[in-house]
Every structure is written in C-alpha cells, then in structure tokens.
Amino acid sequence: NHIHLEKEAVNVHELVKEAVNNLTPLINEKKAVLHYDFNASTPVLQADRDYLIIVITNIIDNAIKYSRHPEIKISTASTARIFTLSVKDNGIGIEKKQAKKLFQKFYRVKQGEVYTAKGFGIGLAFVKKIIIAHKGKVTVESSLGKGSDFVVALPVG
C-alpha cells in the first residue's frame, strides 16, 4: 500500500523523451504524431525517476491506444512552486461520469458494452498513487469524441 520513493534530481523533459523512446513500437504501429511544447523553466525535480517514467509512459501509452489517428501534444510549464506536465490527445474522449472514476483501481472506460483497448484498469490508479506519493495531483479534462488532457502537477523542490 505504501510507495517508497528514492528521490533524486530528475529532468522531466528527459524522462518524457525516454518514455516516448520506450513507446516507439506502438507509436510506429499507430502512426502517432507527437508534438512537444516544453515551456517549463524548471524541468528538474526531486522525484523518483523510475516511478515518474511509469507515470509518463502510462499516460502517453493511453493517449496513443485510445486514439484512432493519434496526434498528441506533450507540454510542460512551471512556476516557482509547481511543475505541470500535460498530455493532450485527439482520442475517443471520456464521458464526465466515467472520468470521475478513471483513477479507481480496476475501472475501465467502456463505449457501449465494449472496452476499446486491452488492459486491467490498474494503470491510472497506480499513476495517481505515485503522484500522490510525490505530493502532487493528476487530473483529466475530457470531451467525448474530442479527446482528453491529462495534467500532472508536482511540487518544485
């Protein structure tokens, strides 16, 4: 139940590139187009590198899997206190009532009576647990048929 963090100085921009590199086979298979908008003046955080890779990989992986012709914008921003990472896709989107449950363990989004991608419904629950352990938060804004925007906010320093 408890996540033990091994914090070190990590550059989140480099972690995004590593996660994308890990996802290259899926990116090529789905012919995904990724756009980067790295605006964070402070991309280096004290965080657990391995756990953050899991978070970033999971969110980008979902953005690709739940889009027919994936076009994904990965952006960062920072203030003196907060670093934000946004992964915005043009995918199938999520109804508001389902979006509220998205971070619950074993919850999977259904369209009609069909699940749209393979999985067990634990990825985003684990993402939330990791982000909370880092004293951050993860949110989603989504419109059915128009895509989703997952935003991770983490404390700087």
Side-chain angles (χ1 to χ4, degrees):
N1 264 347
H2 180 69
I3 293 179
H4 176 72
L5 302 177
E6 295 285 336
K7 288 188 175 182
E8 61 182 299
V10 293
N11 184 319
V12 182
H13 293 166
E14 290 175 8
L15 295 185
V16 168
K17 291 174 189 168
E18 186 175 330
V20 167
N21 188 51
N22 293 342
L23 290 167
T24 297
L26 180 63
I27 291 167
N28 292 341
E29 176 189 328
K30 295 276 288 204
K31 296 179 176 64
V33 177
L34 279 68
H35 303 280
Y36 302 94
D37 191 14
F38 291 162
N39 290 311
S41 58
T42 312
V44 178
L45 304 175
Q46 287 295 317
D48 187 298
R49 181 185 190 292
D50 294 335
Y51 279 128
L52 277 191
I53 283 283
I54 290 169
V55 166
I56 296 165
T57 301
N58 185 284
I59 293 173
I60 296 171
D61 179 62
N62 283 346
I64 296 167
K65 284 195 298 193
Y66 288 98
S67 300
R68 284 186 183 83
H69 305 287
E71 191 160 337
I72 297 153
K73 181 179 180 185
I74 303 169
S75 56
T76 64
S78 62
T79 65
R81 300 178 70 197
I82 302 292
F83 172 91
T84 58
L85 168 70
S86 165
V87 178
K88 186 176 180 115
D89 65 53
N90 64 338
I92 60 173
I94 306 159
E95 293 178 48
K96 276 203 186 311
K97 67 180 180 182
Q98 291 194 67
K100 292 176 183 176
K101 300 175 186 175
L102 204 54
F103 297 101
Q104 294 175 7
K105 192 185 280 189
F106 304 121
Y107 184 78
R108 303 224 18 245
V109 172
K110 280 201 283 191
Q111 277 193 314
E113 294 300 313
V114 180
Y115 291 109
T116 54
K118 293 178 184 174
F120 296 101
I122 57 174
L124 289 175
F126 193 45
V127 161
K128 183 175 181 176
K129 191 171 196 146
I130 292 168
I131 296 305
I132 289 171
H134 281 87
K135 298 188 178 9
K137 70 179 190 174
V138 58
T139 57
V140 61
E141 290 290 324
S142 189
S143 297
L144 197 58
K146 295 183 180 174
S148 303
D149 185 9
F150 284 83
V151 178
V152 173
L154 293 166
V156 172

